[in-house]
Amino acid sequence: MQYALSEIEQIAADIIPKLTHPVVLFKGSMGAGKTTLIKSLARQLGVTDGVSSPTFSLVNEYKTPTLPMYHFDMYRLRDEEEALDFGVEEYFYSGSYCFIEWPEKIPSLLPENYCLIEIHIESQQKRSLNITCT
């Protein structure tokens, strides 16, 4: 699926019905637009608060009309033990959406079932993405 950055809200609306699992991994190079896409997905889920990257806090919680939504940024983790220390597995099995940037930092902690969104930079204003759900 290819899109212009100006189409991000429509892409997010198209993605939500394709997410067959609440744990969603986001992979892409630095600057690919992972956080930007997560912000749009959060709006589609009814989040009205400002969404920002949890680079330093590791996880941000947002209210939706139903369950909370969690946004993780694992980039700064030194090892998986840090994720275990803040209870990451409890979030993953809560039934709430868990959007995870840099999941490759915690490979052995990821649940068996998840959706993976891989974002590729095509140009300064264009991206492509693939969605795979296990």
Side-chain angles (χ1 to χ4, degrees):
M1 173 181 309
Q2 195 171 60
Y3 61 97
L5 296 179
S6 62
E7 301 169 319
I8 195 83
E9 293 300 323
Q10 182 57 53
I11 289 299
D14 293 345
I15 288 172
I16 294 292
K18 295 177 180 174
L19 300 178
T20 58
H21 301 290
V23 175
V24 184
L25 314 180
F26 291 80
K27 288 189 177 182
S29 61
M30 190 75 73
K34 297 178 294 293
T35 301
T36 301
L37 180 57
I38 290 170
K39 287 178 183 182
S40 294
L41 290 167
R43 281 191 289 275
Q44 293 299 317
L45 292 171
V47 173
T48 57
D49 296 333
V51 176
S52 62
S53 178
T55 302
F56 295 101
S57 63
L58 300 178
V59 61
N60 288 343
E61 179 180 342
Y62 300 100
K63 292 180 182 177
T64 74
T66 55
L67 295 170
M69 182 203 103
Y70 301 104
H71 178 191
F72 300 84
D73 187 334
M74 304 300 184
Y75 184 76
R76 292 184 140 343
L77 288 182
R78 289 184 300 265
D79 56 44
E80 290 182 330
E81 190 68 32
E82 284 185 79
L84 288 172
D85 288 346
F86 74 79
V88 72
E89 290 176 317
E90 291 178 39
Y91 291 102
F92 292 171
Y93 297 100
S94 68
S96 295
Y97 277 108
C98 294
F99 294 152
I100 307 160
E101 296 185 54
W102 304 101
E104 55 272 24
K105 296 285 215 153
I106 57 164
S108 71
L109 302 180
L110 297 172
E112 184 177 328
N113 297 309
Y114 56 81
C115 292
L116 170 64
I117 296 178
E118 296 177 280
I119 303 172
H120 305 280
I121 300 171
E122 301 297 331
S123 71
Q124 192 168 353
Q125 294 299 315
K126 293 252 186 208
R127 302 292 186 267
S128 63
L129 64 81
N130 297 318
I131 301 171
T132 307
C133 295
T134 61

